[in-house]
Structure formats: C-alpha cells, structure tokens
Amino acid sequence: MTDVDRHILNRLQDGLPIVERPFAVAAEELDISEATLLERLEALKESGVLSRFGPMYHAERLGGGLTLAAMAIPEERFDAIVEQVNAFAEVAHNYRREHRLNMWFVLATETPERIEETIAAIEAATGYPVYNMPKQEEFHVRLHLPV
Amino acid sequence: MSDSICRSEASLTAPIDDIDRAIILATQAGLPLVSDPWAAVGEQVDLSGEEVRRRMALMQEHGVIRRIAAVPNHYRLGYVANGMTVWDVSDEEIDRLGREVARHPGVSHCYRRPRHLPDWPYNLFAMLHGRSRVEVERQAEEIAETLGNACRDHRILYSTRILKKTGLRLAKKTTSRT
C-alpha cells in the first residue's frame, strides 16, 4: 500500500459527500486527480483491502429488526450447531468468541417482530437457548481505523 | 456527518418509499466507482442522477444512510486483534459513562444491552480494534479507568473465527411503508 492509498483510506472512512461529482471533490481534498482516486479505490477493492465502498444503511430505520444474540455450545457439538444456525438467512454475521458463550451472531429481519420468531426457531432447531441482547442505547457507531 | 451518539432509536423509522427501496437494493453492495455514481445508480433504477442524489442526501439527513464510506478489511490493515469488551456498569451511571467510553479512540461500536443474570452480568459493550492483543488490552485499561468504581467486572471476548459474514441485506421484495 502506498502513501496515497493510506490517505485515501483515512479520508474516505469519514465519508463521501453527497454532491455532484463527489469523487472529484474528495480527490481535490486529497490533492490527486479524480481518475487516480477512482483507479486506486478500484484497486483497493480488488485486492481486498476494502471490503466495500458505499452507503452504510441503518437497519432499524429501514423498518427492520436487528439484534445481537449469543449461545453457549459444547465444544463437541460446535461445528454441527454452527451449520444449523448459519442456515438461517436472518443470521448476518456470526463469530466464534472466547467465552462460555462461544457463538455470537447478528440477526437482521424484515420486521422487528420477526426477531423473536427467529430466535424461537433457532432454539427449536438446535435445542440450545439463545441469549437475546438487543441494543437499548447506541452511544457510538463509527469504525475508523487509521492507517 | 456526525456520529450517532446517545439516541434512543427504537421508534425511529424513517419515511422511505418504494423508490428509495429500489435505490437501497441497487447500492447496498456498493456505490459504482465512476465519476457520476448517482447517474450510474439512476440507470439501474430508472431515475435521473439528480433524483438519486436528492433522495440519497435526504436518506442521509434522516439517518437511514449513516454515511457513504470506505469499509476496510480490519485484518488487511493489520488490525488483527478485535475484542468485544463487555462491562458490568451501574444502571444509574451507564448513560453518562457510555457516552464517555464511546469517545475513546479504538472504540468502533458502543451499546447498552440487557444483562442475563446470573449467566451474563454485562450491560455495556464496546468493540475495540488493535494491531495486537496488547494494544486492545491497553485500550481496555483506559476504559476501566473511565468507568472507575461504577464498573464491577469486565471481560474481553476476542473473536477467534468468522463463522459467517454476509452483511445486512434487504430482501428483494418490496413493501410500502409510510
């Protein structure tokens, strides 16, 4: 990664303005040409340094349901249960973590009511309880990784 | 755009219509990397570039779009230690302290969530990202100082494996909401 790439990543984690020719505006701030900026972004995406570039939508404001849920799965059953849980389309992310509660996943549903139904379905399918941990207050959502 | 800090959001559903929904479907995987991205999106959804831009600006104003941004892969940038820190904070002080914790550098997400006693006493969650576990632990130490006596206990749960990561996706069915 070059210095220009670093500047681009640092600047564009903060957001692109929604204006005419937005990349030209950002490029000017970065003191590079619009063509260079677009080319570098494409290359960063291609190489996997960028997971994506685009709008970050706010699930609940779209009318959907969103929650974080956890399960405690015995080691010998873990892989089989992962498969069952991941089979639910509503499971958006799922991480293994170091704790007795060793499986942590985000559920995203079309409506808020579907969250409870999905949790009940996962419990029925796996035979293990699901700990529902919906957010009660959001203090901060802002991923910025300086490079 | 400013950070969303300390807003109760349970009842905040923004007014989006089927046209907004079409724009969301066309852009949720990413914005076209071209000089006029609004026109490029417009071609997909049969709108003028100007209308796409106007609607997306409005969605950002309503908080439906947090921002349009580069989302780096943590690991590829060297952020290999990703710890979910969880804290048992006194209910009386969590609103004030949650806001303070959110200001610490390294915190990407910070939420209040329900306890599940006796198994799970933690009610404040802060995601930390570092280039090593030592760095994450140092950040956690600073948060512990901020919380002081209001915090009874905390843990750092590192992720050891990504089991699934498809991201949030709107289904391709249209429903009108008002």
Side-chain angles (χ1 to χ4, degrees):
Chain A
M1 215 179 355
T2 65
D3 280 350
V4 169
D5 289 342
R6 283 175 213 285
H7 287 144
I8 290 173
L9 283 172
N10 284 331
R11 169 62 188 84
L12 287 186
Q13 286 184 73
D14 284 337
L16 188 76
I18 303 182
V19 296
E20 270 183 67
R21 305 280 304 267
F23 293 106
V25 172
E28 199 179 333
E29 274 181 49
L30 288 160
D31 208 15
I32 55 177
S33 72
E34 183 192 37
T36 304
L37 176 57
L38 289 169
E39 192 183 294
R40 292 317 305 156
L41 281 173
E42 195 64 64
L44 289 167
K45 222 169 85 174
E46 195 69 30
S47 70
V49 171
L50 276 186
S51 298
R52 64 189 290 273
F53 182 91
M56 335 244 322
Y57 288 103
H58 191 309
E60 295 98 321
R61 294 212 183 144
L62 293 174
L66 191 71
T67 197
L68 176 70
M71 297 173 82
I73 308 298
E75 211 45 54
E76 66 278 9
R77 299 276 295 132
F78 196 84
D79 288 347
I81 303 293
V82 167
E83 209 167 302
Q84 288 182 312
V85 171
N86 284 355
F88 285 82
E90 293 86 353
V91 174
H93 310 271
N94 191 356
Y95 289 91
R96 177 172 180 136
R97 294 192 182 276
E98 292 176 340
H99 191 269
R100 197 181 72 81
L101 291 174
N102 52 1
M103 191 189 296
W104 290 78
F105 50 91
V106 171
L107 287 179
T109 56
E110 276 283 308
T111 62
E113 298 72 39
R114 283 281 303 150
I115 291 284
E116 286 301 333
E117 295 165 27
T118 307
I119 284 176
I122 292 174
E123 288 180 329
T126 62
Y128 291 98
V130 172
Y131 294 70
N132 186 15
M133 305 198 193
K135 73 178 176 194
Q136 296 169 312
E137 194 74 55
E138 175 175 307
F139 299 111
H140 188 69
V141 178
R142 189 76 154 119
L143 181 61
H144 186 104
L145 304 171
V147 290
Chain B
M1 189 176 125
S2 67
D3 300 338
S4 346
I5 289 177
C6 201
R7 259 184 233 153
S8 221
E9 301 176 272
S11 61
L12 274 178
T13 302
I16 58 160
D17 61 18
D18 282 353
I19 298 173
D20 293 323
R21 224 179 140 82
I23 293 173
I24 293 166
L25 282 171
T27 56
Q28 62 187 352
L31 194 72
L33 295 173
V34 295
S35 180
D36 189 347
W38 323 121
V41 172
E43 268 171 41
Q44 294 175 51
V45 295
D46 210 13
L47 291 174
S48 71
E50 204 176 316
E51 180 64 4
V52 169
R53 177 161 56 83
R54 191 189 70 79
R55 284 176 173 269
M56 290 188 81
L58 212 56
M59 283 196 269
Q60 185 163 48
E61 204 174 294
H62 289 150
V64 172
I65 294 176
R66 292 177 186 275
R67 64 189 189 284
I68 297 182
V71 183
N73 176 327
H74 307 186
Y75 292 91
R76 290 294 305 275
L77 296 186
Y79 289 86
V80 294
N82 299 289
M84 182 173 77
T85 65
V86 294
W87 310 79
D88 176 5
V89 179
S90 104
D91 290 331
E92 292 71 44
E93 299 193 70
I94 190 168
D95 282 338
R96 177 178 67 81
L97 288 169
R99 268 169 291 185
E100 285 192 33
V101 167
R103 283 193 209 107
H104 279 261
V107 173
S108 67
H109 299 71
C110 185
Y111 301 111
R112 176 183 186 169
R113 298 186 185 277
R115 297 186 173 93
H116 288 267
L117 296 171
D119 298 347
W120 188 259
Y122 310 104
N123 56 346
L124 183 68
F125 286 57
M127 285 297 313
L128 294 178
H129 306 276
R131 291 185 164 90
S132 67
R133 289 197 178 190
V134 173
E135 197 179 319
V136 168
E137 273 144 33
R138 201 160 45 227
Q139 291 169 354
E141 270 310 306
E142 287 170 18
I143 291 175
E145 275 173 37
T146 296
L147 293 174
N149 292 332
C151 176
R152 283 172 289 264
D153 187 18
H154 81 275
R155 286 270 182 287
I156 304 176
L157 277 65
Y158 290 104
S159 59
T160 51
R161 189 147 62 101
I162 298 174
L163 304 169
K164 186 176 186 184
K165 192 167 187 176
T166 49
L168 310 181
R169 288 281 190 275
L170 263 192
K172 289 212 194 294
K173 128 193 143 197
T174 53
T175 45
S176 0
R177 300 175 196 283
T178 46

